[in-house]
Amino acid sequence: MVHGHSVKFMIVAVDLNKTAMGHGPWTIDHGQKSLFLRNMSISKTYEPKQTEDKWYNYWLEHNFFRSVPDEREPYTIVIPPPNVTGVLHMGHMLNNTIQDVLVRRARMKGKNACWVPGTDHASIATEAKVVAMLKEKGINKKDIGREKYMEYAWEWKEKYGGIILEQLKKLGASCDWDRTRFTMEESLSEAVIDTFIHLYKKGWIYRGIRMVNWDPQGKTAVSDEEVIRKEVNQKLYYIRYKVLSPESEVLSQNATLDSGLSTSDFLTIATTRPETIMADTAVCINPNDERYKHLHGKKAIIPLINREIPIILDEYVTMDFGTGCLKVTPAHDLNDYELGQKHGLQVIDILNDDGTLNEKAQILVGEDRFAARKKIVALLEADGYLDKVEDYKSQIGFSERTDAVIEPKLSMQWFCRMDEMAKPALDYVLKGDIKLIPDKFINTYRYWMENVKDWCISRQLWWGQQIPAWYLPNGQFVIAKNREEAFELAKGLASHISHLKSEDLTQDEDVVDTWFSSWLWPISVFDGFKDPNNDDINYYYPTNDLVTAPEILFFWVARMIMAGHEFRGELPFRNVYLTGIVRDKIGRKMSKSLGNSPDPLGLIADYSADGVRVGMLRSSPAGNDLMFDEEHCKWGRNFANKIWNAFRLVKGWEVDDRNECPNRLAIEWFESRFNQALTEIESNFSQFRISEALMATYKLVWDDFCAWYLEMIKPAYQHPIDRETYTATIAFFENILKILHPFMPFITEELWHDELFGGRSEYDCCIVAQLPTIGKINTQVLSDIEMVKQVITQIRNIREEKRISPKEKILLSAKDNAGVSYKVYESVISKLGNISSFNIVSDKVVGAVSFMVSTDEFYVPLADQLDPIAECAKLRKDKDYYAGFLRSVNSKLSNDKFMANAKPEIVEAELKKKADAEAKLKVIDENLAALACDLQ
RNA sequence: GGGAGUUUAGCUCAGCUGGUUCAGAGCAUCUGCCUUACAAGCAGAGGGUCACUGGUUCGAACCCAGUAACUCCCACCA
């Protein structure tokens, strides 16, 4: 292809030379020559590389993203803060493209658009990275202490933090970067501490022992939402426990299976976690289980360690699972814990924080839980306690951040009560004050809010906001902002401790969950805690739209609504647009391990930011997953190129000032068509149908503007265009740039500044241009041109069928009783159909190929190419079809119930269908007769 | 186990209040074109039992019931 182009250019160059030397076969006048040179100087394809950086910097330098409160209506979006140390992935690309489209549109509608960017400190993920970095240096977190550790962590954050924000710039994100916030910066941290104290005073924050999801790798508790359950192939081990009758003597510690005891002296439990048997404090059976009636009231002995445990009864045990005997391990299983609470069982925790066994296990001390599992199975087997092993599939929880297997663990944690806050948050959504888009998420939201559990907010990490709890030497604690305040409170609390000193207080080691800072985001980014009445918060809050992923509907969106209500008495945003998950083209979720996620910046380099933006938006309606395929980006790039080439065409025109304008109808048509499309686009946007709005824009540009309008008005080669058409076309083009801008900011800004559109002052940019308003729509012209387009398509069709070159001119006649005055559109029809002569005739043209548009008849005289047999067959097929159609219409019209129930306009439409079908049939019959088809 | 959703062309999806002359796009396919804006293009064509079964209705892709397949969310039967 490339080779072909260069050849073409070479020929052209030779011609030029000839002309210059004055012995060419034809001469070019001055105007044509300049036109020719101008086209040569513009690249045939759009080249985004330089323009993207150029315009992004221009926008930045001219402060177009900057927003400060003024008299205009605000439009605000707060970005869902990505992890500060994260890198851009396809999900971010989609999400932020949508936000940018919304923000740019609002800006172009005259609103004061403010998109607040920022990042989140992602305590677990970041701490994991920092700990790993320190480990490489041979440093242990505990050895250097909290203060020094935080220095390293901040250093890390400064070094790697915010890369993702730089990447967003490549996408064209028009964030107000001056407002960039970070969830751990001072004022945001202060807000976290203040809200903690506020909620504690309300009695909504409390400390308690709970079974939490323990991440032994991150060495912290994580919330339920941060646990990902996956189905895993496991083994189910059947283990024999000796049974003791209460009346019998304690068996010899050396007794084994071989010592002559019968099997009735054993019971068998089934477990996936044999390494926890040392923590068992009971065996549980269902009281209704006939098989085990003889065990009621007896005791069992844990193998290997020979500890005695009671056999308890509870209907919780499913009789038909496993053996019907359940080992109860309150310290290491939530259900067992609850069972233990109910039955007053002892709790024995045999695991260390890192997942190794502690001395309470008595055996295998120091072994990792998974290594211990293997070893204990061997020990059990050696001593004959292992009955059998089965393959078994079950769900295991993994830590979202570290992918470690979650260990249920009892520990002292801080909790936030959710019930009171959930109620108003639910109401906002149920009443429609906050809209979820799509609304199918309302049900999910409601379910969660009605079944909300208390939120475990403490994390055993250092990277984050330290919990403002201060402990007295006697174990009592106070909640205070700092040591001084804590000391004051502590003095009151512990007046009996006469010599309590400030230094005696120790602050809680833990930090709060990252979500405990992100739930304040829409308020804290405007300093709404520090200064609740400042201009920013009063102006920008509540924000307008939130664009995020449904995965975090609960732990982020719902909590922001709670915080908004609790701390400002107002909702934080009005619309929540939930994007889908970006998957690969065969439907797999994009993930690092699968390696199926393309590099976003690579895509931008290959297909342009504009191309990737529209490629992503194309097939991603709200809430639907996006099956990503690079082909979409290619489509986007081609679209940009199409716009570029439309520009090249118009740019190349010479204008003359003759007084005639041959294109008034085309101009009027496109104007109406533009306004019609604008109506659709507005309507789509108002319903957040962004991909549909894009498609409507695409069709307007590609089909209506390029394929039809420009072809209609395009002057013949080497001919100038009239001033009136030119001016109108430039105006259309400018409007097209405007409506394209939110989707494709770079190419539109680039073209906007071309001299084609007149001189632009420094601040006259597409990004701040005002979107066109909907103007008049001439429906008559719209429908007429639709018919004209059909005529042209039919002509092209005949050319294709009859193998007539598009270059060959043909004749066309139309019957004079047509519904549309086609003669008015003669120039359009002749030009696009390449018609040499267009006549209106009163009689059928014999020996012509005929076609119909609606009920209007057209003839293309092609006597020599006419195949009467084929024509007759075609006519008969049409006749059959229309006859059948007429029958169905007539059956409706003769149906009394239809006539009685259908709306009048429907009946009218049916009557029109009937008349049209009859007219068509009449014409078909005439044509059949004219061709003497009866004889064929 | 509970809940929600999806099922329309080979693929990805529209189809909004049940009612246009045969249910629409894009991609892919086929045919013909290097036609002076664009081969990243132009012109044209083919392609559908709207998952299945029943019901409501004058009329169903659309409403209702059932069935099947898939997806997601919630729920820790060891």
Side-chain angles (χ1 to χ4, degrees):
Chain A
M1 300 298 163
V2 172
H3 185 69
H5 285 163
S6 59
V7 168
K8 201 156 97 188
F9 279 8
M10 275 172 62
I11 292 163
V12 162
V14 170
D15 285 349
L16 247 188
N17 285 338
K18 271 197 222 164
T19 309
M21 286 182 280
H23 48 75
W26 33 264
T27 54
I28 300 175
D29 70 34
H30 186 72
Q32 283 150 11
K33 191 170 163 191
S34 72
L35 164 130
F36 182 79
L37 289 172
R38 262 203 322 207
N39 268 339
M40 282 290 285
S41 64
I42 305 172
S43 162
K44 225 173 165 180
T45 50
Y46 170 56
E47 283 162 7
K49 287 206 166 58
Q50 300 81 15
T51 58
E52 293 187 352
D53 282 345
K54 176 178 81 186
W55 290 113
Y56 200 85
N57 288 330
Y58 193 92
W59 293 327
L60 280 178
E61 283 157 17
H62 290 77
N63 277 323
F64 290 131
F65 303 160
R66 180 78 184 127
S67 172
V68 286
D70 61 20
E71 70 293 341
R72 288 175 296 167
E73 185 190 336
Y75 175 84
T76 320
I77 292 186
V78 290
I79 205 169
N83 287 2
V84 68
T85 59
V87 289
L88 200 66
H89 60 60
M90 296 307 289
H92 295 125
M93 295 278 280
L94 174 63
N95 186 271
N96 288 290
T97 299
I98 292 167
Q99 291 177 70
D100 195 47
V101 169
L102 295 175
V103 167
R104 284 181 186 268
R105 232 181 101 78
R107 195 178 284 123
M108 294 176 79
K109 287 190 140 222
K111 294 187 183 160
N112 186 347
C114 181
W115 183 9
V116 183
T119 48
D120 147 339
H121 63 277
S123 49
I124 301 177
T126 307
E127 178 132 342
K129 284 179 188 168
V130 174
V131 166
M133 176 271 289
L134 289 174
K135 198 176 168 188
E136 259 177 39
K137 292 186 181 176
I139 302 171
N140 184 313
K141 167 184 158 185
K142 289 250 155 65
D143 296 343
I144 55 173
R146 189 168 198 132
E147 212 168 297
K148 189 77 194 156
Y149 170 83
M150 289 303 274
E151 274 174 35
Y152 278 114
W154 277 106
E155 206 176 286
W156 173 274
K157 184 256 166 190
E158 293 310 324
K159 191 165 170 195
Y160 300 102
I163 289 177
I164 194 160
L165 299 182
E166 291 309 307
Q167 292 178 314
L168 279 179
K169 293 178 181 172
K170 298 282 174 205
L171 187 66
S174 59
C175 303
D176 182 353
W177 299 107
D178 293 345
R179 293 183 177 274
T180 306
R181 305 307 291 259
F182 174 53
T183 52
M184 239 175 91
E185 68 183 58
E186 205 181 334
S187 71
L188 274 71
S189 289
E190 204 181 316
V192 167
I193 300 307
D194 288 347
T195 52
F196 186 104
I197 295 169
H198 168 94
L199 293 171
Y200 177 77
K201 283 184 182 157
K202 271 192 120 160
W204 289 355
I205 283 185
Y206 62 93
R207 197 168 178 244
I209 291 178
R210 288 292 172 92
M211 182 138 295
V212 295
N213 305 297
W214 185 259
D215 175 347
Q217 201 173 313
K219 288 186 201 151
T220 179
V222 295
S223 67
D224 289 347
E225 292 80 8
E226 289 164 313
V227 177
I228 299 167
R229 304 206 153 263
K230 294 183 210 164
E231 188 152 276
V232 174
N233 288 317
Q234 295 200 91
K235 305 271 185 217
L236 193 58
Y237 302 91
Y238 287 77
I239 302 168
R240 282 192 265 251
Y241 283 36
K242 264 176 252 169
V243 176
L244 269 187
S245 302
E247 63 274 15
S248 69
E249 291 298 311
V250 174
L251 285 173
S252 142
Q253 295 292 314
N254 299 324
T256 67
L257 287 180
D258 302 324
S259 61
L261 291 161
S262 74
T263 48
S264 63
D265 297 311
F266 288 85
L267 60 82
T268 307
I269 57 97
T271 181
T272 54
R273 303 204 56 191
E275 75 279 14
T276 63
I277 61 169
M278 293 82 81
D280 287 357
T281 53
V283 167
C284 188
I285 53 176
N286 193 306
N288 306 315
D289 198 331
E290 295 297 332
R291 295 171 297 176
Y292 300 125
K293 292 278 189 199
H294 64 284
L295 295 177
H296 293 195
K298 296 191 177 171
K299 291 189 169 179
I301 293 184
I302 301 171
L304 305 177
I305 61 167
N306 296 319
R307 182 158 49 74
E308 224 176 88
I309 51 172
I311 294 171
I312 59 168
L313 307 175
D314 200 294
E315 288 186 351
Y316 163 76
V317 178
T318 322
M319 292 187 275
D320 52 12
F321 184 89
T323 61
C325 294
L326 170 72
K327 77 194 257 309
V328 184
T329 321
H332 301 296
D333 184 280
L334 181 59
N335 291 309
D336 289 10
Y337 177 68
E338 280 162 10
L339 206 53
Q341 292 273 298
K342 194 168 156 189
H343 294 270
L345 297 177
Q346 202 190 341
V347 177
I348 301 172
D349 186 344
I350 61 162
L351 289 176
N352 291 315
D353 287 353
D354 61 358
T356 56
L357 272 60
N358 64 27
E359 65 288 346
K360 287 193 194 133
Q362 301 177 42
I363 53 172
L364 301 170
V365 174
E367 297 277 356
D368 179 76
R369 54 196 167 139
F370 297 112
R373 182 176 303 169
K374 283 192 188 127
K375 291 189 177 172
I376 200 158
V377 170
L379 294 173
L380 289 167
E381 191 162 23
D383 288 355
Y385 290 109
L386 190 64
D387 186 29
K388 59 175 174 176
V389 182
E390 282 176 356
D391 285 327
Y392 181 67
K393 265 190 189 166
S394 78
Q395 300 262 308
I396 301 242
F398 290 84
S399 164
E400 189 187 31
R401 308 288 177 183
T402 65
D403 211 35
V405 173
I406 291 295
E407 189 65 50
K409 185 181 167 70
L410 278 175
S411 60
M412 185 67 91
Q413 302 286 344
W414 289 92
F415 292 88
C416 182
R417 261 182 64 192
M418 293 274 98
D419 48 358
E420 292 287 329
M421 282 192 277
K423 271 182 233 154
L426 177 59
D427 282 349
Y428 280 129
V429 172
L430 292 186
K431 281 195 212 139
D433 297 335
I434 295 178
K435 289 201 174 59
L436 303 186
I437 297 142
D439 59 11
K440 66 176 178 185
F441 287 107
I442 294 174
N443 281 333
T444 329
Y445 180 83
R446 181 220 288 261
Y447 179 82
W448 191 74
M449 296 304 263
E450 285 175 351
N451 296 281
V452 68
K453 285 188 282 181
D454 286 357
W455 176 13
C456 173
I457 53 170
S458 44
R459 295 291 181 273
Q460 289 64 50
L461 304 165
W462 287 348
W463 179 245
Q465 291 94 4
Q466 197 171 354
I467 288 176
W470 302 81
Y471 298 93
L472 279 65
N474 67 0
Q476 285 179 291
F477 66 84
V478 293
I479 301 295
K481 204 163 181 169
N482 51 45
R483 185 174 291 273
E484 291 69 47
E485 286 178 22
F487 183 55
E488 290 306 311
L489 287 171
K491 278 194 288 195
L493 194 66
S495 48
H496 57 283
I497 308 177
S498 52
H499 44 266
L500 181 75
K501 290 196 290 284
S502 163
E503 308 90 80
D504 296 336
L505 297 175
T506 51
Q507 189 174 0
D508 196 298
E509 285 288 304
D510 293 353
V511 297
V512 289
D513 182 11
T514 307
W515 295 108
F516 199 83
S517 38
S518 12
W519 75 324
L520 310 175
W521 189 246
I523 304 172
S524 58
V525 293
F526 300 115
D527 288 324
F529 289 96
K530 194 167 72 184
D531 186 3
N533 243 324
N534 76 69
D535 291 347
D536 274 2
I537 190 88
N538 286 336
Y539 183 72
Y540 294 113
Y541 191 95
T543 69
N544 296 71
D545 302 333
L546 179 81
V547 180
T548 192
E551 294 126 84
I552 54 174
L553 181 59
F554 304 139
F555 49 140
W556 192 46
V557 179
R559 284 173 187 155
M560 279 192 287
I561 299 173
M562 293 178 191
H565 181 80
E566 177 62 23
F567 302 112
R568 290 209 61 90
E570 207 169 12
L571 41 79
F573 31 68
R574 309 203 182 272
N575 300 296
V576 181
Y577 181 99
L578 296 151
T579 62
I581 296 165
V582 183
R583 297 175 177 278
D584 67 10
K585 62 178 165 187
I586 54 171
R588 297 173 308 176
K589 205 168 168 174
M590 286 189 171
S591 73
K592 262 188 210 160
S593 53
L594 280 172
N596 57 351
S597 179
D599 165 31
L601 297 189
L603 286 176
I604 289 175
D606 291 346
Y607 301 106
S608 80
D610 291 335
V612 176
R613 287 165 67 108
V614 295
M616 299 218 61
L617 285 179
R618 245 217 73 211
S619 64
S620 59
N624 273 24
D625 288 358
L626 167 66
M627 303 292 173
F628 181 79
D629 188 338
E630 264 190 51
E631 288 298 315
H632 292 151
C633 297
K634 201 181 268 180
W635 173 87
R637 177 200 60 182
N638 294 356
F639 185 31
N641 199 46
K642 186 72 184 177
I643 298 161
W644 181 254
N645 276 293
F647 160 75
R648 280 183 72 213
L649 174 68
V650 177
K651 174 87 174 164
W653 287 339
E654 285 295 313
V655 187
D656 73 6
D657 283 309
R658 77 193 119 110
N659 283 327
E660 56 189 289
C661 170
N663 301 311
R664 293 218 170 97
L665 282 166
I667 292 167
E668 187 164 14
W669 166 73
F670 187 76
E671 192 180 357
S672 290
R673 179 64 203 108
F674 181 86
N675 286 321
Q676 192 184 40
L678 209 55
T679 315
E680 285 167 40
I681 294 164
E682 283 293 331
S683 150
N684 284 326
F685 265 112
S686 70
Q687 296 166 84
F688 287 90
R689 295 169 192 242
I690 297 173
S691 51
E692 302 236 0
L694 169 63
M695 281 315 282
T697 310
Y698 168 84
K699 283 179 188 163
L700 175 73
V701 174
W702 196 303
D703 298 343
D704 297 312
F705 187 64
C706 294
W708 288 104
Y709 175 75
L710 289 179
E711 292 300 332
M712 284 178 196
I713 62 147
K714 188 160 102 178
Y717 180 56
Q718 296 186 352
H719 288 268
I721 195 162
D722 65 282
R723 172 81 48 202
E724 192 175 332
T725 306
Y726 185 77
T727 310
T729 305
I730 300 287
F732 290 151
F733 211 137
E734 195 176 277
N735 275 340
I736 280 172
L737 292 181
K738 289 179 184 175
I739 60 169
L740 278 168
H741 181 85
F743 299 112
M744 307 175 91
F746 293 109
I747 188 172
T748 49
E749 193 71 81
E750 171 72 12
L751 296 182
W752 181 263
H753 292 271
D754 191 89
E755 63 187 15
L756 181 67
F757 298 101
R760 301 275 186 200
S761 63
E762 194 180 348
Y763 285 88
D764 178 3
C765 288
C766 197
I767 186 176
V768 287
Q770 294 302 290
L771 286 173
T773 49
I774 298 168
K776 68 176 165 74
I777 296 171
N778 182 336
T779 50
Q780 185 63 48
V781 174
L782 279 176
S783 64
D784 281 2
I785 291 283
E786 281 315 302
M787 303 289 268
V788 166
K789 280 156 81 174
Q790 282 184 49
V791 172
I792 291 159
T793 302
Q794 291 277 22
I795 294 165
R796 287 168 175 170
N797 211 330
I798 287 168
R799 284 182 185 279
E800 181 84 10
E801 262 174 38
K802 304 294 177 196
R803 298 271 179 259
I804 301 167
S805 158
K807 286 181 226 170
E808 190 183 325
K809 286 199 184 292
I810 53 174
L811 302 170
L812 178 72
S813 304
K815 200 112 178 276
D816 61 359
N817 57 352
V820 175
S821 331
Y822 289 102
K823 200 66 185 170
V824 173
Y825 298 99
E826 179 176 0
S827 65
V828 173
I829 295 170
S830 298
K831 189 173 195 174
L832 300 190
N834 200 17
I835 301 297
S836 57
S837 144
F838 178 48
N839 299 309
I840 304 295
V841 294
S842 49
D843 295 314
K844 268 187 194 307
V845 177
V846 182
V849 176
S850 68
F851 63 84
M852 265 190 275
V853 168
S854 181
T855 52
D856 307 333
E857 229 182 322
F858 294 83
Y859 311 96
V860 179
L862 289 167
D864 52 329
Q865 291 185 54
L866 203 61
D867 176 354
I869 297 173
E871 290 300 315
C872 286
K874 215 166 80 183
L875 286 169
R876 288 198 188 100
K877 205 177 147 202
D878 284 355
K879 184 176 173 168
D880 284 351
Y881 170 74
Y882 285 110
F885 178 73
L886 186 59
R887 267 197 302 280
S888 87
V889 172
N890 277 333
S891 77
K892 270 193 210 175
L893 289 170
S894 59
N895 183 327
D896 293 341
K897 286 185 175 169
F898 173 76
M899 298 303 281
N901 294 324
K903 280 178 266 176
E905 59 267 30
I906 302 296
V907 176
E908 206 177 303
E910 290 300 316
L911 286 167
K912 171 125 180 16
K913 284 189 212 169
K914 179 186 158 86
D916 286 359
E918 281 167 351
K920 281 210 168 191
L921 282 167
K922 184 168 160 271
V923 172
I924 290 167
D925 280 336
E926 285 167 9
N927 288 350
L928 282 166
L931 277 165
C933 285
D934 298 346
L935 306 174
Q936 299 288 344

